[in-house]
């Protein structure tokens, strides 16, 4: 599957990707996902990305713009996609096989 992300919102992109991944996994096919122009994705610069350390009261929040500046847009798309998929081992392995161009 090939996706061109120019001018699309990050939430809509990840919902479409997650639905397609789930559908293809049910058919038991190997999926090769190629994402083009991931740097042109639209996102809210003033919203936050939340992360929990595992300790009581250990929730941390980072602005999206700062997270993308430090880790890159590709990692941001992968993290958002992992959050929308079911929490099973096979789905995490598929997200690691996504190719960004």
């Amino acid at each position: 599957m090939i996706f061109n992300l120019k001018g699309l919102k990050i939430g809509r992109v990840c919902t479409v990707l997650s639905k397609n991944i789930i559908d293809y996994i049910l058919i038991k096919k190997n999926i090769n996902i190629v994402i083009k122009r991931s740097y042109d994705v639209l996102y809210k610069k003033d919203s936050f990305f939340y992360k929990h350390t595992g300790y009581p009261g250990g929730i941390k929040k980072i602005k999206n713009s700062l997270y993308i500046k430090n880790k890159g847009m590709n990692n941001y798309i992968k993290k958002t996609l992992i959050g929308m998929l079911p929490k099973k081992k096979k789905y995490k392995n598929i997200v690691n096989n996504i190719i960004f161009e």
Side-chain angles (χ1 to χ4, degrees):
M1 294 188 297
I2 299 174
F3 291 96
N4 187 3
L5 306 185
K6 182 181 178 186
L8 300 175
K9 294 182 181 179
I10 184 76
R12 300 212 184 254
V13 166
C14 288
T15 53
V16 169
L17 281 172
S18 63
K19 287 178 183 178
N20 285 329
I21 288 172
I22 291 169
D23 290 342
Y24 277 94
I25 286 297
L26 292 176
I27 300 172
K28 303 211 180 205
K29 290 185 177 180
N30 292 334
I31 301 174
N32 296 323
I33 300 172
V34 178
I35 296 179
K36 295 184 177 183
R37 299 186 71 149
S38 63
Y39 52 87
D40 286 338
V41 173
L42 302 176
Y43 63 95
K44 291 184 180 178
K45 293 176 177 55
D46 59 345
S47 61
F48 293 96
F49 184 80
Y50 292 96
K51 174 179 146 181
H52 200 279
T53 61
Y55 290 99
I59 194 161
K60 294 184 175 183
K61 64 180 184 177
I62 305 168
K63 277 196 166 187
N64 285 343
S65 57
L66 185 63
Y67 185 85
I68 292 169
K69 182 179 176 185
N70 292 338
K71 305 268 183 158
M73 180 59 83
N74 298 345
N75 192 16
Y76 181 71
I77 291 172
K78 280 187 179 182
K79 282 286 194 183
T80 308
L81 191 57
I82 286 173
M84 292 187 180
L85 286 173
K87 308 302 185 249
K88 292 185 178 179
K89 190 175 183 180
K90 60 183 174 181
Y91 292 109
K92 289 183 182 177
N93 292 335
I94 289 171
V95 171
N96 292 332
N97 293 332
I98 294 176
I99 301 167
F100 291 94
E101 290 183 355

